[in-house]
Amino acid sequence: MPRKIWINCSEASGDMCAGALAGELFRQNPTLEICGMGGPALEQAGADVRFPMSRICFTGFFDVLLGLPGIFRLQKEIAKSWEQDRPDAIVMVDCPDFNLPLAKTAHAMNIPVHYFMAPQFWAWKQQGMKIMQRYVQNIICALPFEPEYFQERGCRALYAGHPLQDVIPLQALDKLTPSHHQIGIMPGSRKKEISFLLPDFAEAASRIYRKKPWMVFSVARAPGVSREFLLKLWPENLPMNIVEPENRFQMIRKSCLILAASGTATLETALIGTPTIVAYKLDRPAAFVLRRLAYSKFISLTNILLQKELFPEFLQEKANAESLYQQTATWLNNPGVLAELRCKLKELRHIAGPTGGMAAAAKTILAQ
């Protein structure tokens, strides 16, 4: 059984799941030592975060290009850390572009590698399947169709269920009554994506407020994003509440609808049961590349799991204030539609898999 486990994650949604996994690992084996790379959730779970995930927080083509030297340097630093203080097992969380080269390094050092929150190779044309085949001992999948996908390509994969089913206190949230007067806004976890999306979210909100001045707007602050940064992108004359990271689930449940950046947040809103309008923007070079790499018809995990566009998606030039306002106004003026969407979202909890996935993932890692 491992005595020391290294967890490697590099963005906010991964950190949330990594923190929950670390907590479950400690619950199953209190004598463990857990260290690694991550953020506040991993640290709060009791892990020794030796490398902050903020070192590789990039969005957009030019950001990544300019950040490559720092990425390579960080990978070398992590590998050196393993040499000096060898872990018994390594758990990679999402982010394959950063983690897969490290998985290869770990294998060369004869350290078992587990992948938690499998890379979404089924959605994007990505390199790395051969590394997954050769150097990853177990892929712990969050989505029901993933194990078969990876197994057919020669990988060792098992299904645990999506960790959000355990992370989100769904039973407690179900007792809260949504407010017809509150709109939630989740503009992302990276400053670049927030700067792309929040001004359009704010302009759409302003138009709603002019016609419905009783509406309240609540903006979720991601870890590592300051209140001051959000306020700079929000009109001074438009009332707004900033919601702290630990309170966002309650905000989602109490909102009649959500405007959200594409990402894990849209699965959070779906599981909680709140209708969501999804938007995303990148710089033009990154968007050009991604459009040619995409396999999936949808970008929202909710729509991918349901195989239909339950959540409207607005991408790039379509992610503008006018489109977002029109969709928001349509929903607000048709409360029956919002009620119907809430009913349809109940199905998603069954599709997303069973609860207890975190315990199953921890048990798999500890069994090696």
Side-chain angles (χ1 to χ4, degrees):
M1 181 176 288
R3 297 181 304 278
K4 180 182 296 182
I5 294 176
W6 181 283
I7 297 179
N8 219 72
C9 67
S10 58
E11 44 82 35
S13 60
D15 180 54
M16 174 178 62
C17 294
L21 177 63
E24 180 60 29
L25 286 165
F26 280 131
R27 191 191 69 78
Q28 294 189 22
N29 184 355
T31 65
L32 273 178
E33 180 182 343
I34 300 178
C35 50
M37 174 178 171
L42 186 59
E43 189 169 27
Q44 288 167 13
D48 175 14
V49 176
R50 299 180 182 176
F51 298 93
M53 66 184 190
S54 57
R55 287 184 60 178
I56 58 167
C57 189
F58 304 121
T59 302
F61 182 82
F62 292 113
D63 282 356
V64 174
L65 195 63
L66 293 172
L68 281 176
I71 290 173
F72 295 146
R73 184 166 56 251
L74 179 56
Q75 288 171 332
K76 289 180 180 179
E77 290 176 24
I78 291 172
K80 187 175 181 180
S81 176
W82 294 344
E83 291 174 354
Q84 295 172 345
D85 188 16
R86 178 187 173 87
D88 297 299
I90 293 170
V91 181
M92 302 297 188
V93 184
D94 206 357
C95 201
D97 291 337
F98 183 76
N99 281 330
L100 286 179
L102 285 169
K104 190 174 181 180
T105 300
H107 184 269
M109 298 168 66
N110 202 30
I111 304 173
V113 176
H114 306 273
Y115 221 113
F116 180 61
M117 301 289 289
Q120 295 179 351
F121 288 155
W122 44 266
W124 307 97
K125 299 174 186 176
Q126 293 175 309
Q127 301 297 316
M129 188 62 76
K130 288 184 178 179
I131 294 178
M132 298 288 284
Q133 293 167 354
R134 295 176 185 175
Y135 307 125
V136 176
Q137 187 162 326
N138 285 302
I139 305 172
I140 303 169
C141 300
L143 303 176
F145 56 83
E146 288 181 329
E148 182 179 1
Y149 173 87
F150 284 106
Q151 289 165 5
E152 287 177 348
R153 288 156 180 81
C155 298
R156 293 168 293 281
L158 57 96
Y159 178 49
H162 204 286
L164 286 180
Q165 295 272 51
D166 296 319
V167 170
I168 302 174
L170 292 173
Q171 290 186 345
L173 293 173
D174 286 345
K175 297 175 183 178
L176 301 178
T177 302
S179 168
H180 298 298
H181 300 155
Q182 176 171 297
I183 292 176
I185 296 177
M186 304 182 74
S189 59
R190 299 178 178 91
K191 287 186 176 181
K192 191 72 171 284
E193 66 185 358
I194 295 170
S195 65
F196 278 142
L197 289 171
L198 189 53
D200 285 301
F201 286 164
E203 176 57 27
S206 294
R207 297 186 192 185
I208 292 291
Y209 188 70
R210 285 196 289 270
K211 294 192 175 184
K212 301 177 184 289
W214 55 85
M215 295 303 296
V216 175
F217 302 96
S218 297
V219 178
R221 182 184 71 81
V225 176
S226 70
R227 297 172 64 89
E228 291 73 23
F229 181 76
L230 296 176
L231 290 170
K232 285 180 182 178
L233 299 170
W234 192 266
E236 291 184 5
N237 60 347
L238 179 63
M240 176 263 280
N241 302 316
I242 293 179
V243 178
E244 295 304 304
E246 63 272 17
N247 297 324
R248 74 184 182 284
F249 295 149
Q250 289 80 4
M251 181 275 285
I252 292 169
R253 177 62 182 175
K254 290 180 180 179
S255 298
C256 64
L257 65 88
I258 300 286
L259 294 170
S262 178
T264 303
T266 61
L267 186 57
E268 293 176 7
T269 62
L271 290 172
I272 292 170
T274 305
T276 302
I277 298 166
V278 182
Y280 208 71
K281 286 183 182 180
L282 289 166
D283 56 47
R284 288 186 178 181
F288 177 84
V289 172
L290 288 179
R291 278 172 169 160
R292 280 149 183 79
L293 294 179
Y295 284 132
S296 176
K297 181 180 177 182
F298 305 113
I299 63 165
S300 164
L301 271 177
T302 298
N303 293 340
I304 289 169
L305 286 169
L306 294 173
Q307 284 299 294
K308 58 184 176 182
E309 192 173 356
L310 194 67
F311 285 174
E313 297 182 351
F314 297 92
L315 310 179
Q316 290 304 107
E317 61 278 356
K318 294 181 180 179
N320 58 65
E322 175 62 21
S323 298
L324 296 169
Y325 163 72
Q326 291 293 343
Q327 182 63 62
T328 303
T330 297
W331 277 1
L332 290 176
N333 293 330
N334 293 275
V337 173
L338 290 174
E340 183 180 350
L341 283 170
R342 287 184 181 276
C343 288
K344 289 180 179 178
L345 287 172
K346 293 178 181 178
E347 175 190 357
L348 191 72
R349 294 188 189 180
H350 301 289
I351 295 174
T355 58
M358 204 68 73
K363 186 176 180 180
T364 297
I365 293 164
L366 292 173
Q368 303 303 314

